[in-house]
């Protein structure tokens, strides 16, 4: 019932993590979700699910890259619309919004994280060029972020760690909660 109480808890928790001084942003968004982002050298990982050391030592594994190909992680059209344009304005409200004359139009003039997260038509994806389909990809959009060809090749032996809480999310939580509390 008291939103400000919960917002203050979020500010306090994020502040505590920030004051530890041990976290930092990883220099590459794309590599954050690959083997390059694994391990203690990645100071963006606050809470991470650690998998096997490598394909020869698969203590715990996953199959995320195959699951992406099979459409188990299907980005929605609504998600794509949430990515801002390069001028920082929402898609559809920015003068940089491109009329949708093709499947790839929605990717133009957008935050670069969109094209690192979702495949464009014709881009090499999984085994070949991406063609929008709804048979395996329920939304006709295909997840790209975190796809790893070596993990795909080693069926059921994928070892890329999964960041559950990233420092970027701590910073965003802090900024949003402070804004809601104080404008």
């Amino acid at each position: 019932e008291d939103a400000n109480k919960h917002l203050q808890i979020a500010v306090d928790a994020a502040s505590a993590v920030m004051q530890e001084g041990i976290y930092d942003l990883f220099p590459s968004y794309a590599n954050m979700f690959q083997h390059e982002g694994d391990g203690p050298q990645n100071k963006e990982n606050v809470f991470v699910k650690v998998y096997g050391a490598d394909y020869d030592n698969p203590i715990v594994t996953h199959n995320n890259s195959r699951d992406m190909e099979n459409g188990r992680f299907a980005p929605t059209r609504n998600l794509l619309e949430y990515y801002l344009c390069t001028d920082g304005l929402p898609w559809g409200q920015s003068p940089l919004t491109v009329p949708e004359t093709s499947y790839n139009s929605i990717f133009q003039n957008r935050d670069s994280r969109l094209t690192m997260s979702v495949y464009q038509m014709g881009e090499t994806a999984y085994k070949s060029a991406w063609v929008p389909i709804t048979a395996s990809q329920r939304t006709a959009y295909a997840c790209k972020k975190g796809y790893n060809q070596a993990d795909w090749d080693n069926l059921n032996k994928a070892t890329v760690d999964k960041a559950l809480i990233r420092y970027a999310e701590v910073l965003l939580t802090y900024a949003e909660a402070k804004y809601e509390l104080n404008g």
Side-chain angles (χ1 to χ4, degrees), residues 38 49 65 93 100 113 116 119 128-129 131 137 140 165 171:
D38 287 352
K49 171 71 174 174
S65 291
Q93 297 176 25
E100 290 190 71
R113 292 174 293 183
M116 288 185 242
Y119 284 109
S128 60
V131 176
Q137 299 293 333
I165 299 176
L171 298 174

Side-chain angles (χ1 to χ4, degrees), residues 56-74:
D56 295 325
N57 188 10
I59 300 163
V60 177
T61 62
H62 58 80
N63 201 24
N64 289 351
S65 291
R66 291 282 177 138
D67 287 344
M68 286 179 188
E69 177 189 22
N70 294 326
R72 289 190 184 97
F73 309 125

Side-chain angles (χ1 to χ4, degrees), residues 12 41-42 53 69 71 75 86 97 99 104 111 132 136 138 145 149 163 173 183:
D12 294 344
Q41 80 283 355
N42 182 350
E69 177 189 22
T86 54
T97 300
N104 287 345
D111 181 329
S136 61
R138 296 179 299 264
K145 183 171 79 176
Q149 185 64 47
T173 296

Side-chain angles (χ1 to χ4, degrees), residues 10-11 13-15 17-18 23-26 29 32-33 43-48 113 145 162-177:
V11 167
S15 294
V17 172
M18 292 161 56
Y23 299 106
D24 199 2
L25 298 176
F26 194 68
Y29 182 79
M32 172 74 198
F33 309 98
K43 301 299 182 198
E44 188 165 337
N45 286 332
V46 175
F47 187 59
V48 63
R113 292 174 293 183
K145 183 171 79 176
K162 297 298 169 203
L164 303 175
I165 299 176
R166 297 172 29 224
Y167 189 55
E169 294 160 351
V170 171
L171 298 174
L172 185 59
T173 296
Y174 178 81
E176 289 177 342

Side-chain angles (χ1 to χ4, degrees), residues 59-127:
I59 300 163
V60 177
T61 62
H62 58 80
N63 201 24
N64 289 351
S65 291
R66 291 282 177 138
D67 287 344
M68 286 179 188
E69 177 189 22
N70 294 326
R72 289 190 184 97
F73 309 125
T76 64
R77 169 55 185 247
N78 195 38
L79 174 67
L80 272 67
E81 291 179 9
Y82 277 113
Y83 282 86
L84 299 176
C85 288
T86 54
D87 61 5
L89 294 174
W91 181 83
Q93 297 176 25
S94 168
L96 298 176
T97 300
V98 174
E100 290 190 71
T101 56
S102 73
Y103 179 89
N104 287 345
S105 296
I106 196 166
F107 294 95
Q108 295 177 4
N109 302 326
R110 304 299 291 285
D111 181 329
S112 61
R113 292 174 293 183
L114 174 58
T115 57
M116 288 185 242
S117 299
V118 179
Y119 284 109
Q120 296 182 60
M121 185 167 55
E123 184 177 7
T124 301
Y126 314 128
K127 296 175 283 193

